[in-house]
Amino acid sequence: MAKHKNNHTPTKIRFSWNDPFIRGIIYQVIIIGLLAFGVWYLVSNTLHNLAVRNISTGFDFLNREAGFGIGEMSIDYQPSDTYGRAIVVGLINTLKVSVIGIVLATILGTLLGIARLSSNWLVKKVAAVYVEVMRNVPLLLQLFFWYALIIESLPRPKDAYMPLPGVFMSNRGLQVPTLEGNAWSWIVGGLAIAIVLSVLFAHWARKRQEQTGSMPPVLRVSGLFIVIVPALLLWISGEGLHLSFPELRGLNFRGGTSLSPEFAALLLGLVVYTSAFIAEVVRSGIQAVSKGQWEAAESIGLSRSLTLRLVILPQSLRVIIPPMTSQYLNLTKNSSLAVAIGYPDIVSVVNTTLNQTGQAIEGILIIMAAYLTVSLSISVFMNWYNRRLALVER
């Protein structure tokens, strides 16, 4: 039998400078090497200069006693606690004002965006003036204005306004009744379970709608979960809650919960400023929906409000969500201006820490890492939500 020779010879790789592929790899290796050398030089030079000046480096200071107090906190903290716990308190304060600010700014900005498209001349012009004024006044000036207004216009605690029974307004802040007791951990756990159950039920409801065409009552069932599950866990735990009312004792109020002037001024400034930008996002999103959608909805008898809520806004979300993400990120990062009015956010707490310890580089890295983590978390969630709203091409 004749033997067949294998005519397939292996292809030789030729390393030639004239090959654009090889040349591109070489350029990338050189650039990466230069960047790595630059980072190494900066780090080594910084460590050398710190060592020459006998300045310690590292994050061991986080386990040392802080020795300073924090005026506003959501978790227990004493000056005898560590710097690490103090920074956690500052981070929680930042998250608190950011989350509440995002919710309130979204509500107010949406209403303003709709008002800018109103057929009522007065409503439309008032909304336009609000948007133009608030967008063009720097946020820092707004914070100073709101803080000075709260401090100087409201009376002292003994002459505090009482708009509602048990609610007091003074230059020390807003005091309101609060529920106190050992059952809060059970309630929070119940809310977490209820949210998980609501998400699972909503997922099942979408699958059922795809199969049968009928949509189960997701909102009503989710509301029942949120009410029943925490109440059931509270009943099982046997723990109780009692209502604590604020009372004037000496020069200040005791009992209840207090909204400090610094927190109120920061929250008000962030909401008022950011809502003006959100209003423009909402307005542009609504205008991006074709007029044919309005006409089609009106042709089947829907009122203008129902058309807006059921037809226009759901479609406009695909345009609104991406720029809305940027506004949420801006609000979170702008909360760092809290240091200007004395609100103890993470920037303020870390500034106090680095002034006491001298760990300036580590302190700045902590602030950068905190804001980077929060911003990326917001971006990931909003991108996930945006993908769920995106149209799927068949």
Side-chain angles (χ1 to χ4, degrees), residues 285-286 289 305-321 385 389-391:
I286 293 175
V289 180
S305 61
L306 284 177
T307 300
L308 181 65
R309 182 165 62 89
L310 301 177
V311 179
I312 303 302
L313 281 179
Q315 296 184 64
S316 65
L317 284 177
R318 299 186 180 97
V319 180
I320 290 173
I321 293 300
Y385 185 60
L389 293 176
L391 292 174

Side-chain angles (χ1 to χ4, degrees), residues 283-315:
R283 180 183 64 83
S284 61
I286 293 175
Q287 289 182 324
V289 180
S290 64
K291 293 183 178 179
Q293 298 294 315
W294 289 93
E295 296 170 354
E298 292 173 358
S299 67
I300 61 176
L302 290 179
S303 64
R304 187 173 180 83
S305 61
L306 284 177
T307 300
L308 181 65
R309 182 165 62 89
L310 301 177
V311 179
I312 303 302
L313 281 179
Q315 296 184 64

Side-chain angles (χ1 to χ4, degrees), residues 4-20:
H4 297 281
K5 293 183 179 180
N6 188 3
N7 295 325
H8 297 285
T9 58
T11 303
K12 295 182 179 179
I13 300 177
R14 300 181 60 187
F15 294 95
S16 172
W17 183 255
N18 295 325
D19 189 342

